[in-house]
């Protein structure tokens, strides 16, 4: 009997604790909902994005601090990556990454949460992990979407007490009946008296009832999603993964070593012949040593796409080899690894040739988004190929995990490259070298490029209506006055435009500054 009493007392204590924890989660979700409305409603996205992500993680770490896997280095890597990408919303103003980063950040947050709480059994470097992640997330949101409303309603009833339930119900019924009638009466009185209508119009404009309703709806949506999602981790048993052990296992067929070696020898002979024939101008193009009749622009334009496709084909061949490599003697294995190494080195050489062609093409025709991103992709592919080269001889290297980490680092790096500024700087430098510049394209760049563009136009007035364009842009930028919309790129653009207007004013009236000083 004593043991039963102890068990009941322990159960009652755990129930009380769970209720307190649910209350903490409810309060935190409510604060996050209010915080979201305050930061984002009718405001531009800026530092507000980072502040909201940090507030979500504060609630997550406080609530699940005892269950988080501290030793999970990859989950902490995902957390740091999420914060790094969130910072781009107040550092830069690139529209492409503003849109692209949002789903990436959402995916990183979900992955970090599920890995930190070990809520998915599948390894994070398998495709099955992504499938389970999205299925679990959708189930948790849909099944728990109305929990926040239920908690709100139950809190109101608990706070009011059982004796007052009927009274509150009657008050609510009275409000529902009276409010429509009051609006009808107010409308009639306003129609009958102009003075009353004037005061009522001012009152309604100050209240902004429509905006208030929108904010309330937005609050409940955000609070409900956050509360339902995080609450689902309290009941992790309801979302257990289905056992995958019952699925039939398929035996991987291995390639024959003789066929593999024959295939690789022929492939490598083709590449060796290609490099021997074209070595003189493929690498000599750095110093513009090209065959007669070929200009650098023609050389750059011809064959770049083909080179990149060949590099991708070779990369695919390497992965097929890794997946289905033959189980053979040490001698066969050594020679196959040697031929695969030659194939990978040939891929690096082809990638270098493609990089060289694109560099010449940029020098001849200018720098654009597509060309910069293609260049970045080639550097990314170069890093992957180097890892593949190491994997050939050191089998312990976890290829998929390494590629996932490199891919995430590459995506964060390209966010912080400041592509718009890079395009502006290189095109301006190209103008100083050959005297050509595409002004129409430069004006399509984001605010990240404005400090460089303003400096350029202060020295070279190549566009007659540049003052009007800058003035229109300045008026748009200065409308965002809420502190949550703070953005470093926007602030730098405003300061650069103000400097431009001051210089222009001095040019139009060189004595205005002296007169201004004399007046004071």
């Amino acid at each position: 009997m004593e043991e039963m009493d102890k068990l009941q007392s322990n159960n009652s204590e755990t129930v009380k604790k769970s209720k307190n924890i649910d209350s903490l989660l409810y309060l935190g979700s409510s604060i996050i909902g209010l915080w979201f409305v305050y930061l984002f409603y009718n405001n531009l996205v800026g530092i507000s994005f980072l502040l909201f992500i940090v507030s979500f993680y504060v609630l997550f770490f406080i609530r699940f601090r005892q269950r988080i896997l501290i030793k999970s280095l990859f989950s902490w890597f995902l957390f740091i990556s999420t914060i790094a990408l969130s910072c781009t919303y107040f550092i830069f103003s690139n529209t492409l990454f503003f849109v692209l980063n949002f789903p990436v950040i959402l995916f990183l947050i979900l992955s970090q949460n599920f890995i930190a709480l070990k809520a998915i059994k599948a390894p994070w470097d398998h495709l099955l992990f992504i499938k389970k992640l999205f299925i679990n997330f959708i189930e948790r949101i849909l099944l728990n979407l109305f929990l926040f409303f239920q908690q709100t309603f139950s809190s109101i009833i608990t706070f009011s007490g059982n004796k007052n339930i009927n009274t509150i119900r009657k008050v609510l019924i009275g409000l529902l009946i009276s409010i429509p009638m009051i609006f009808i009466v107010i409308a009639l009185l306003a129609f009958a008296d102009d003075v009353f209508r004037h005061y009522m119009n001012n009152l309604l404009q100050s209240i902004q009832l429509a905006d208030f309703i929108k904010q309330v709806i937005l609050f409940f949506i955000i609070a409900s999603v956050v509360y339902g999602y995080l609450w689902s981790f309290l009941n992790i048993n309801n979302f257990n993964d289905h056992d995958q052990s019952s699925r039939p296992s398929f035996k991987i067929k291995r390639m024959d070593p003789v066929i593999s070696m024959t295939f690789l020898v022929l492939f490598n002979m083709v590449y060796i012949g290609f490099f021997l024939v074209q070595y003189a101008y493929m690498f000599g193009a750095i110093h513009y040593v090209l065959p007669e009749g070929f200009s650098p622009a023609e050389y750059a334009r011809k064959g770049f796409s083909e080179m990149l496709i060949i590099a991708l084909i070779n990369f695919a061949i390497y992965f097929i080899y890794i997946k289905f490599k033959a189980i053979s003697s040490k001698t066969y294995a050594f020679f196959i690894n040697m031929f695969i190494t030659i194939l990978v080195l040939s891929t690096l050489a082809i990638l270098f040739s493609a990089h060289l062609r694109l560099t010449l093409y940029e020098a001849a025709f200018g720098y654009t988004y597509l060309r910069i991103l293609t260049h970045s992709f080639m550097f990314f592919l170069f890093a992957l190929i180097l890892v593949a080269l190491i994997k050939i001889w050191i089998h312990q290297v976890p290829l998929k995990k390494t590629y996932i980490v490199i891919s995430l680092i590459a995506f964060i790096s390209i966010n912080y490259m400041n592509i718009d500024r890079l395009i502006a700087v290189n095109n301006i430098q190209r103008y100083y070298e050959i005297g050509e510049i595409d002004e129409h394209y430069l004006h399509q760049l984001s605010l990240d490029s404005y400090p460089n563009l303003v400096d350029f136009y202060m020295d070279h007035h190549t566009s007659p209506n540049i003052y009007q364009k800058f003035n229109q842009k300045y008026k748009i930028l200065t409308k965002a006055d809420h502190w949550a919309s703070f953005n470093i790129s926007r602030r730098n653009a405003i300061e650069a435009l103000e400097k431009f207007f001051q210089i222009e004013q001095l040019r139009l009236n060189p004595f205005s500054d002296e007169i201004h000083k004399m007046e004071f």
Side-chain angles (χ1 to χ4, degrees), residues 224-236:
S224 299
V225 171
V226 172
Y227 181 77
Y229 169 69
L230 293 180
W231 184 89
S232 65
F233 288 107
L234 299 176
N235 299 268
I236 198 71

Side-chain angles (χ1 to χ4, degrees), residues 11 41-42 118 131 162 214 227 230 254 338 365 368 441 480:
N11 289 333
Y41 188 76
N42 285 341
K118 209 172 181 179
K131 177 183 176 182
N162 293 329
K214 291 178 184 178
Y227 181 77
L230 293 180
R254 302 291 179 177
M338 183 64 68
F365 299 101
T368 63
Y441 185 81

Side-chain angles (χ1 to χ4, degrees), residues 147-397:
L147 278 177
F148 185 81
F149 294 94
Q150 296 175 7
Q151 185 71 22
T152 304
F153 183 73
S154 62
S155 299
I156 292 173
I157 293 177
T158 304
F159 178 78
S160 61
N162 293 329
K163 295 180 180 179
N164 298 325
I165 292 177
N166 291 329
T167 305
I168 294 174
R169 189 178 300 165
K170 292 177 181 178
V171 169
L172 291 174
I173 293 172
L175 288 173
L176 291 174
I177 295 174
S178 61
I179 287 176
M181 296 300 296
I182 289 173
F183 275 109
I184 293 173
V185 172
I186 289 175
L188 292 173
L189 291 174
F191 183 77
D193 188 276
D194 292 338
V195 177
F196 182 75
R197 182 170 66 251
H198 173 74
Y199 282 110
M200 289 306 301
N201 287 336
N202 292 337
L203 179 62
L204 291 175
Q205 288 177 1
S206 62
I207 293 176
Q208 295 181 345
L209 185 61
D211 274 354
F212 177 74
I213 294 174
K214 291 178 184 178
Q215 292 178 39
V216 170
I217 294 173
L218 186 60
F219 159 76
F220 273 105
I221 291 174
I222 300 301
S224 299
V225 171
V226 172
Y227 181 77
Y229 169 69
L230 293 180
W231 184 89
S232 65
F233 288 107
L234 299 176
N235 299 268
I236 198 71
N237 293 328
N238 296 332
F239 298 94
N240 282 336
D241 295 330
H242 298 290
D243 188 11
Q244 301 294 328
S245 60
S246 59
R247 292 190 175 185
S249 58
F250 299 95
K251 189 176 180 179
I252 297 175
K253 293 183 179 180
R254 302 291 179 177
M255 292 185 295
D256 183 82
V258 178
I259 296 175
S260 302
M261 190 174 295
T262 305
F263 175 82
L264 292 173
V265 167
L266 292 175
F267 241 78
N268 287 326
M269 287 177 61
V270 171
Y271 287 128
I272 291 171
F274 173 78
F275 290 131
L276 288 175
V277 171
Q278 300 198 358
Y279 174 82
Y281 69 89
M282 185 176 71
F283 296 101
I286 300 175
H287 305 290
Y288 296 92
V289 181
L290 298 173
E292 293 184 4
F294 277 86
S295 66
E298 291 173 337
Y299 170 79
R301 186 189 300 110
K302 190 175 180 61
F304 164 74
S305 301
E306 289 79 0
M307 287 288 189
L308 196 57
I309 292 172
I310 290 172
L312 292 174
I313 290 174
N314 290 352
F315 208 33
I317 293 172
Y318 166 79
F319 274 107
I320 293 172
Y321 159 76
I322 291 294
K323 185 71 175 176
F324 305 101
K325 64 180 178 180
I327 300 175
S328 56
S329 63
K330 291 184 178 180
T331 305
Y332 268 113
F334 174 79
F335 279 106
I336 290 176
N337 287 343
M338 183 64 68
F339 290 131
I340 284 290
T341 302
I342 295 173
L343 182 68
V344 171
L345 292 175
S346 301
T347 307
L348 288 174
I350 290 172
L351 200 60
F352 176 77
S353 176
H355 159 74
L356 179 61
R357 291 167 187 264
L358 185 58
T359 302
L360 294 173
Y361 193 84
E362 288 170 336
F365 299 101
Y367 298 81
T368 63
Y369 260 102
L370 182 60
R371 293 162 195 169
I372 295 293
L373 290 175
T374 305
H375 239 136
S376 303
F377 175 73
M378 285 193 291
F379 283 115
F380 168 65
L381 196 59
F382 182 82
L384 298 185
I385 292 172
L386 285 181
V387 176
L389 189 61
I390 297 171
K391 174 69 175 178
I392 294 171
W393 300 101
I394 304 176
H395 302 292
Q396 292 79 10
V397 175

Side-chain angles (χ1 to χ4, degrees), residues 57-73:
Y57 266 115
V58 168
L59 177 60
F60 177 78
F61 286 129
I62 289 176
R63 174 57 193 86
F64 301 103
R65 62 189 180 277
Q66 296 178 349
R67 287 178 49 192
I68 292 175
L69 297 176
I70 303 297
K71 295 182 180 180
S72 180
L73 295 178

